[in-house]
Amino acid sequence: MRLDVANKKLRLAAIHLTLEERGGWLSVRGIFPRKSGEGKSQQRIALGIAATSGGIDRAFARCLEIRSALACDRFRWEDYIEPDAAGDNSFSYWIEALGQEYLAKGGNPQTWAAEYIKKSFNKIPDWTATLNPELLLSIVTSIPANSRTRARVVGAFSKLLTFAGFPNTVRDYRGGYSNLKPINPGRYSPMLTCWHSGKGWGLTLGPRWPG
């Protein structure tokens, strides 16, 4: 079965799940319970199934199982994730998937390569390891607080965790960095002054000191 045919069948059956192919492996996108157990959100399950014709058939059947589990309130993440299979929850898998979506939505390739990969995700020591929110938090807290580097890394890691459906453990550690320059009280900006004389109204441009 082709991927587009499988997704069409899911739509016709009113199954609100979508199969996706990333790097030769299949995942399913839908609204799932958060791994933290609090509420639901749009997430992806890396199925560990190759994107072949036979693999798409297997993935389609897996979608039917997932839909049934969701409807009966017996969905468990561990039932659908194959941790030892390629395309699992590794950092590499989710970073690649996030990059594909970022670029598909019109993101700048140079920004992705420089700000996300080089300056943020390359701080992760082993991309083949399973995505671990606590490891990302330890990387963040090792960066000087209130720095531009920490703010950048927290932004990238937050996107990755949210995209993969994990708790955002790093969001509150961004710090107080801002790229806005403070106002110099010794400078002033011009102000228009309105005045009236016997000949009518007029305007004068003069200094205005910051309050």
Side-chain angles (χ1 to χ4, degrees):
M1 188 188 312
R2 297 200 318 267
L3 190 61
D4 59 337
V5 173
N7 282 325
K8 183 177 181 179
K9 286 185 175 182
L10 291 172
R11 289 194 300 272
L12 291 175
I15 298 175
H16 303 298
L17 299 171
T18 302
L19 287 171
E20 298 178 335
E21 183 270 326
R22 298 178 187 277
W25 298 91
L26 294 169
S27 62
V28 56
R29 173 168 52 85
I31 304 298
F32 303 115
R34 293 191 177 95
K35 297 180 179 72
S36 63
E38 299 178 358
K40 298 180 180 180
S41 65
Q42 179 172 283
Q43 301 174 69
R44 290 169 175 79
I45 300 175
L47 298 174
I49 299 175
T52 62
S53 179
I56 294 171
D57 290 340
R58 286 179 55 207
F60 181 82
R62 188 67 59 87
C63 286
L64 300 183
E65 295 174 11
I66 293 172
R67 190 262 189 120
S68 177
L70 291 170
C72 298
D73 198 27
R74 56 179 176 80
F75 176 90
R76 298 190 308 164
W77 279 96
E78 54 267 30
D79 292 338
Y80 303 102
I81 296 176
E82 301 178 27
D84 296 326
D88 61 2
N89 273 333
S90 67
F91 283 106
S92 178
Y93 176 87
W94 287 113
I95 290 171
E96 179 183 351
L98 176 62
Q100 290 180 3
E101 178 162 291
Y102 173 86
L103 297 175
K105 289 183 175 180
N108 188 316
Q110 294 181 342
T111 299
W112 174 254
E115 298 296 318
Y116 286 87
I117 299 297
K118 182 178 179 181
K119 296 180 180 180
S120 298
F121 296 139
N122 275 351
K123 296 184 181 296
I124 300 170
D126 182 7
W127 281 26
T128 64
T130 299
L131 196 157
N132 183 343
E134 296 307 316
L135 173 61
L136 297 183
L137 177 59
S138 69
I139 294 173
V140 166
T141 55
S142 70
I143 301 171
N146 302 316
S147 64
R148 181 177 182 179
T149 299
R150 180 183 282 203
R152 177 193 301 117
V153 171
V154 166
F157 286 3
S158 291
K159 285 183 181 293
L160 180 64
L161 289 169
T162 300
F163 179 77
F166 284 86
N168 191 341
T169 55
V170 303
R171 176 176 49 208
D172 296 334
Y173 292 82
R174 184 183 186 279
Y177 174 80
S178 174
N179 58 6
L180 297 177
K181 296 181 179 179
I183 296 175
N184 183 344
R187 301 181 66 183
Y188 62 87
S189 59
M191 178 181 69
L192 287 174
T193 301
C194 182
W195 51 268
H196 182 269
S197 69
K199 295 183 179 180
W201 291 92
L203 295 174
T204 300
L205 183 66
R208 178 177 64 190
W209 296 92

